[in-house]
Amino acid sequence: MTEVLAAPPSDHARAIRVIVNGRPLQRVVMPRTHLVDFLREDLGLTGSHLGCEHGVCGACTVRLDGEVVRGCLVLAVQADGARVETVEGLTDGGTMRDLQDAFVARNALQCGYCTPGMLMAAAELLEQRPDATREEVRQWISGNYCRCTGYQAIVDAICATLDIRRGKRPAAVAAPFPERDDALHDDDREPSGQADLDAVGG
Amino acid sequence: MNAPDRHPRELWNVTDDPRYIGTSVSRPGAQRLVEGRGTYVDDIQLPRMAHVVYWRSPVAHCRITRIGRDAANAMPGVLAIVDGSEVATVCKPWVATLGHLAGMKSAPQHPLAIERACWQGEPVVAVVAETRAQAEDAIQLLEVEWEDLPVVADMETALDPSTPLIHPELGDNRCFTRSLDTGGVDEAFASAHVVAEATFHFGRHTGVTLEPRCQIADWHAGDRRLTVYHSQQAPHMMQDLYARQFDLPESSVRVICKDVGGSFGIKVHAYPDDFATVALSILLKRPIKFVADRLESFTSDIHAREHRVKGRIAASKDGDILAFEIDDLTGIGPYSMFPRTSAIEGNQVVNLTGGPYKHKQYRAKLDVVFMNKTPTCQYRGVGHPIACAVTEGLVDLAAAKLGMDPLAFRKQNVIPDSAYPCVGASGIKLEVLSHEECLRKIETLMDYDALRTEQAALRKRGIHRGIGFATLIELTNPGAAFYGVGGARIAAQDGATMRLEPSGAVTVLVSVGEQGQGSEGIFAQIAADAVGVDMRKVRVATGDTDVTPYGGGTWASRGAGIGGEAVLQAGLALQQNIVRVAAVILNRAAEEITVRRDAIVEVASGAELMTLAEVGRIAYFRPDTLPPGFTPELMVTRHYAQKDYPFIFTNGVQASYVEVDTDTGFVKLLRHWAVEDCGRVINPMLVDEQIRGAIVQGIGGALYEECLYDETGQLLNGSMADYLVPMSGEMPDIEVAHVQTPTASSQLGAKGAGEAGTAGAPGAVMNAINDALRPLDAAVWSQPFTPEKILRALGKVD
Amino acid sequence: MKSPAFDYTRPGTLDEVFALMGEHGDDARLLAGGQTLLATLNMRLSEPALLIDINRIDALKGITVRDGMLRIGALVTHREIEESALVGQHAPLLAMAAPHIAHRAIRNRGTFGGSIAYADPAAEWPVCLVALEGVVVVRGTGGERRIAARDFFVDLYTTDLRPGELITACEVPVASDADVFVFDELARRHGDYAIVGLAVVGRRGSGGFASVRLCYLGMGTVPVCPSATEALLEGHALTAVLIDAAIDRLTTELDPMGDLTNTAQTKRHLACVLARRALNTVMNAAS
């Protein structure tokens, strides 16, 4: 075995206290570890994903002190004293259940890799821009890359949830498997402004 | 709404108790993903798992003269530094050619380059450490020295005698060439009233799956067994390749595909670093994880679609297309990609150009040339986007010269719906298509006349909008013709195993996997209807070569048509076996009873006689109560291969409505329509979402995406900031409608739908832009259609 | 990729920051929003030994108005500017530009001071600051300096900051009723770095515009202000004829460099299109 060369620059681990999904935690982290690596590797919260690590794709979007951030562009040490929420926490807390149901009802996810980040971004819009128009929704999520859906179903799902929260439509049907000869209630699948395709002859 | 709950025309029921086939039910598998509880490869941790980072050639062509490891080896956490010759002690090289592409050639390739690297991004040295960060720290201290070698970076001159040969032993830089000539082409052009031509350029681009390529190779030294967790589309293919390249018995290799974060063909190929990672696990006797970094993905994922096509079209005075002619040059990497080869894309351009139309004369020439750039291979659509854009661009040119409306011109020239089966001019065998019906339908869907009126009114105000069409055909459900006949051990058949559980639930194991398109969802729908159970009682498992039947996996839009048929046949067979058991238990004739709604019912009255759970209990736990000589067989396997045609073609038409800002060259996508015939639609919502996603992916290549190289073979824009993928702000809403013309090659009647969107979108958008520019005597033929190219066409910049 | 290793400290006061900067010099980098720095580190383009996290320093925060100046603390985030009533009232140009900056998640962290200090030629805040004739307030162990924005941006990614100094705030004169603001940019996708962008500040006077300031992003290594064109417009009412003349002047005055996907000529053309549109907007607003 070769001799050990000069030690690398000092990178003493730091103790941090952070509240993750409502649970206060104490951990020791290296300064260079970014928040999503900390969540995934140290805490096993693998719902937040990495797609680029340059802050562009949005797959790593998590909530820090109530605001969405790129988890790859925040250091774990910077979360000392802060509150972090991930998709797992928001799921268990139930605060975006209507949004998640709308995603499933419309197949607004395919491979699912962008979905946690997309949901985090959408959840902030639902809170901060409850009157958002369809165009504003498109602009808001334009920092989250999705390769599978082409975005329309995601926009539909978010718009439908905005309507639900404004009281303009009932919540999505709970049962995910409607049977073929039941009356299919598509109220919860209709986005605003779409043509009625069944009316087209053929 | 984003999908109809059912389609206008009802097809016959394919099962007796139809509840799910044809309906837009949500996918059970979506629930865990929407909760952030998927299992992607990077989510998996194994004991003693180490991480590999590859040192990749920073230049396009070089001879490696020295690899100095000492400093890197001393870094914290480093476990091994391995080069190509060490990997070669456990892994054979390969040559990526197919026997049925006559004359195709390529050079042997190793997992890690030995002595010579041939593209920027080719892996050369592996650094293995306890964490990825440590491996990256160490790799900075790796001392690699090289001598630059001449670079071939321009496909137009790759075959010039003065251009250096990348592989001298091959004799030239040509991978593959093909010529096709029906005869009578020159006569057709000579006699034509109208001849139009254009030279089309397609920018090289890549898939950018959000989850990068990744795998964990786990060689278990005690069992002498290799398990690979792989973000992949074809686990059995990889099982076969690992077994053969590493001289392992097939049964010693297991490939597991859990959640895959997007694939699109990028993840159906066998990469050098796939084999290198496995080699490291074997050499180090521990699990090795490889996750491609995004920057590394841009130079190591396969690229696609770098073509220059010269095209001509001949038409008669009456508006009949007489002939097409193309000359296609495509530049691939320095090696053909393993095992599906880099000649398929160009081959499909030859096969598919002119495809929707009834002309008889066609001539095509193809040259596939090597370059020192990232290797290329099949990526969603595979040649179709090019063939369609060339065809549809020429069609619009001819229509304009004839003074005919482009939609009317198409209606006149598509192969009639009554003409099938027939053979296209390029020799492709077409079972049954519905071009005419689709064209009628899109005209209504988009309210074509109203759009033209709107366009004319806005033109008077200096607003330039354009409408573009693209008629397309798309190959799906391939038979063995695609790869098997060429000698590749890629299965064209698939299988489904179905088991009735003691509780009355149904488990389905299928050899076609899931990457988000909804395969597992539709298999559950089919299984539920075929057996006669509630879909909530069906569990589908895919993506494990130890567990599922042997099959081909996901590619060429075959999952629904081929996997689905296997599931259907297995379900129907299981239902029969359940009935046989129930008949014996109830002492009734089998014809008098059937399975419906999770129960055995009397056919005549519908009365429920016993539950499936009761059948299960007796069959599994009380065989003593059954007659001697009778054994319940409540687990059945059925396989299916499509053997009627080389491919089951689908067809469709797309339309794009754009506004071109003639001051800035920016294109705004106002709306997009697609009418698609993929045969029986199993789940309208899933098909529509596949079409939308595929269209947006095609729009990417049409407007935004290009791998930009300089003359030294350096990729200039290999990051998410500089390589532009479509984001939500610029994409249009997309209306989708269907025609259902089932295939007779299977009982299910389903064709494929995954790629058609990508095939047609670039042609439709190009034609829309050119329709907007036509009054200004400008046109663009080079994708991506950037603002600068449009300004140049308008004469506003040089 | 994973960032190279570094040490990390989070001081509570400016004096501690200056001490650290003095001790470590070029081996240390300041960490504010981190949206540029951490991306750079993740790509291993830089290897500082120490990050000095200044996010705890309250003196660098807050938006206030005093003595006719709107003061924006260096640590104010893009999102805070986007949503600030004070900014909307006193520096509407900034409110117009903010939505163009990247995306929500970036705007929640990225800071005004960070953007000014990094001086990316395609960034929005530097051109806005120059167009508004703002001031960059910097401080070091030697005390405070106030630098006119137009003098602050020296070259590509290079500012007048000296070693041991950091930006504490930026100030702009509050808008008056006589001001007209336009901000526009051309980007392939919403939130991308623009190909070219333009901030216009018109100050009405008697008989037209007392001044029209034009400031471009993406047209050079620093914000580009075509002063000859500005001079043409000064003291006149905007008319179609004058705008034509201004665009002609602009065509000869602008001298951009091309980039990966746009030649210099294309950039110049687009810059002129933006100017014509902006000046038309200003003209219509004035009438």
Side-chain angles (χ1 to χ4, degrees), chain B residues 27-108:
Chain B
R27 300 184 286 139
Q31 190 59 40
R32 71 168 183 281
L33 299 179
V34 91
E35 295 179 6
R37 293 184 166 127
T39 305
Y40 301 88
V41 166
D42 193 37
D43 300 340
I44 300 170
Q45 312 269 24
L46 298 177
R48 297 184 65 238
M49 188 175 77
H51 297 256
V52 61
V53 172
Y54 289 102
W55 188 92
R56 296 177 182 274
S57 173
V59 296
H61 199 192
C62 63
R63 183 165 312 286
I64 311 285
T65 53
R66 189 178 89 88
I67 300 173
R69 318 174 195 212
D70 292 347
N73 244 330
M75 289 291 281
V78 172
L79 299 167
I81 298 182
V82 178
D83 71 12
S85 41
E86 289 159 313
V87 168
T89 61
V90 291
C91 183
K92 292 184 237 197
W94 58 83
V95 178
T97 53
L98 284 171
H100 67 307
L101 295 173
M104 181 180 185
K105 54 192 199 284
S106 185

Side-chain angles (χ1 to χ4, degrees), chain B residues 48 77 95 139 163 185 212 225 251 438 463 528 544 567 631 707:
Chain B
R48 297 184 65 238
V95 178
I139 220 167
T163 301
V185 173
R225 209 159 184 256
S251 55
C438 289
I463 295 170
D544 187 339
V567 172
T631 303
C707 300

Side-chain angles (χ1 to χ4, degrees), chain B residues 76-319:
Chain B
V78 172
L79 299 167
I81 298 182
V82 178
D83 71 12
S85 41
E86 289 159 313
V87 168
T89 61
V90 291
C91 183
K92 292 184 237 197
W94 58 83
V95 178
T97 53
L98 284 171
H100 67 307
L101 295 173
M104 181 180 185
K105 54 192 199 284
S106 185
Q109 187 180 5
H110 290 267
L112 295 182
I114 301 175
E115 283 189 15
R116 182 169 72 118
C118 293
W119 84 87
Q120 182 206 16
E122 182 167 13
V124 182
V125 186
V127 174
V128 183
E130 286 166 1
T131 70
R132 171 139 191 148
Q134 287 171 327
E136 289 183 10
D137 291 342
I139 220 167
Q140 287 188 224
L141 299 186
L142 197 64
E143 291 155 18
V144 183
E145 291 171 18
W146 66 83
E147 290 162 7
D148 285 316
L149 294 173
V151 169
V152 178
D154 176 11
M155 62 180 183
E156 295 284 356
T157 55
L159 298 178
D160 286 2
S162 57
T163 301
L165 298 184
I166 299 176
H167 307 287
E169 71 276 17
L170 295 181
D172 59 30
N173 285 327
R174 181 186 277 118
C175 171
F176 177 64
T177 185
R178 182 180 165 202
S179 290
L180 185 157
D181 192 336
T182 58
V185 173
D186 291 327
E187 292 81 352
F189 276 94
S191 69
H193 179 68
V194 147
V195 171
E197 56 186 59
T199 300
F200 301 83
H201 290 267
F202 299 86
R204 173 183 267 253
H205 52 286
T206 184
V208 199
T209 59
L210 185 56
E211 179 207 34
R213 293 185 304 108
C214 47
Q215 61 157 273
I216 302 172
D218 183 11
W219 170 252
H220 191 296
D223 284 343
R224 301 201 63 73
R225 209 159 184 256
L226 173 70
T227 302
V228 182
Y229 297 86
H230 210 163
S231 187
Q232 239 281 350
Q233 299 168 227
H236 287 97
M237 179 193 83
M238 293 312 299
Q239 177 196 33
D240 171 78
L241 290 176
Y242 290 140
R244 285 190 295 120
Q245 295 301 120
F246 290 94
D247 253 329
L248 297 168
E250 201 169 43
S251 55
S252 295
V253 179
R254 177 182 187 186
V255 178
I256 300 174
C257 305
K258 291 180 175 283
D259 288 316
V260 173
S263 51
F264 318 112
I266 304 300
K267 295 177 181 172
V268 81
H269 307 292
Y271 287 82
D273 46 52
D274 291 340
F275 295 106
T277 305
V278 167
L280 293 168
S281 184
I282 291 173
L283 291 170
L284 299 176
K285 299 191 179 58
R286 61 197 297 170
I288 305 288
K289 177 185 271 189
F290 168 63
V291 178
D293 165 73
R294 179 57 54 191
L295 299 178
E296 143 183 58
S297 296
F298 277 108
T299 55
S300 64
D301 286 357
I302 54 109
H303 293 180
R305 314 217 223 282
E306 183 171 354
H307 287 251
R308 181 273 293 138
V309 183
K310 296 183 185 164
R312 298 203 301 156
I313 182 173
S316 73
K317 195 156 173 208
D318 293 334

Side-chain angles (χ1 to χ4, degrees), chain C residues 3 5 12 40 54 72-73 83 88 104 117-118 130 169 186 190 199 222-223 238 252:
Chain C
S3 168
T40 307
I54 58 175
I72 299 170
E83 297 182 346
R104 178 75 172 188
Y118 187 59
V130 171
L186 289 169
H190 179 75
V222 295
L238 277 184
T252 55

Side-chain angles (χ1 to χ4, degrees), chain B residues 502-647:
Chain B
S503 63
V506 171
T507 299
V508 192
L509 315 170
V510 192
S511 56
V512 173
E514 172 75 63
Q515 297 88 38
Q517 67 277 75
S519 312
E520 291 181 357
I522 61 170
F523 296 156
Q525 289 174 250
I526 296 167
D529 274 3
V531 177
V533 298
D534 188 308
M535 197 173 141
R536 281 169 290 205
K537 293 239 173 90
V538 178
R539 184 181 74 92
V540 177
T542 66
D544 187 339
T545 57
D546 263 12
V547 168
T548 71
Y550 197 97
T554 309
W555 43 276
S557 301
R558 62 196 295 283
I562 296 181
E565 180 69 8
V567 172
L568 176 66
Q569 295 304 324
L572 295 174
L574 179 61
Q575 190 199 58
Q576 279 191 355
N577 286 11
I578 291 170
V579 165
R580 268 193 207 110
V581 173
V584 154
I585 293 170
L586 294 166
N587 202 15
R588 297 282 297 263
E591 314 76 62
E592 292 171 12
I593 58 176
T594 188
V595 181
R596 196 161 290 156
R597 309 286 147 133
D598 304 274
I600 303 293
V601 304
E602 186 179 55
V603 173
S605 68
E608 180 173 314
L609 302 174
M610 67 187 302
T611 64
L612 285 190
E614 188 63 3
V615 174
R617 182 188 73 81
I618 293 170
Y620 288 116
F621 304 125
R622 297 306 310 273
D624 57 299
T625 64
L626 299 172
F630 178 80
T631 303
E633 296 290 0
L634 295 178
M635 180 159 168
V636 301
T637 298
R638 289 291 181 274
H639 286 80
Y640 172 71
Q642 189 280 109
K643 292 188 188 169
D644 294 8
Y645 286 86
F647 310 100

Side-chain angles (χ1 to χ4, degrees), chain C residues 171-237:
Chain C
E171 295 179 1
V172 295
V174 301
S176 77
D177 290 336
D179 293 336
V180 180
F181 303 100
V182 180
F183 185 88
D184 198 6
E185 62 175 52
L186 289 169
R188 292 303 314 277
R189 305 172 306 178
H190 179 75
D192 281 354
Y193 275 124
I195 302 171
V196 59
L198 175 62
V200 177
V201 178
R203 173 150 295 145
R204 282 180 282 232
S206 57
F209 278 88
S211 69
V212 179
R213 309 236 336 120
L214 296 112
C215 198
Y216 281 103
L217 60 90
M219 292 293 283
T221 56
V222 295
V224 168
C225 302
S227 49
T229 307
E230 289 174 332
L232 250 184
L233 298 165
E234 203 174 281
H236 298 286

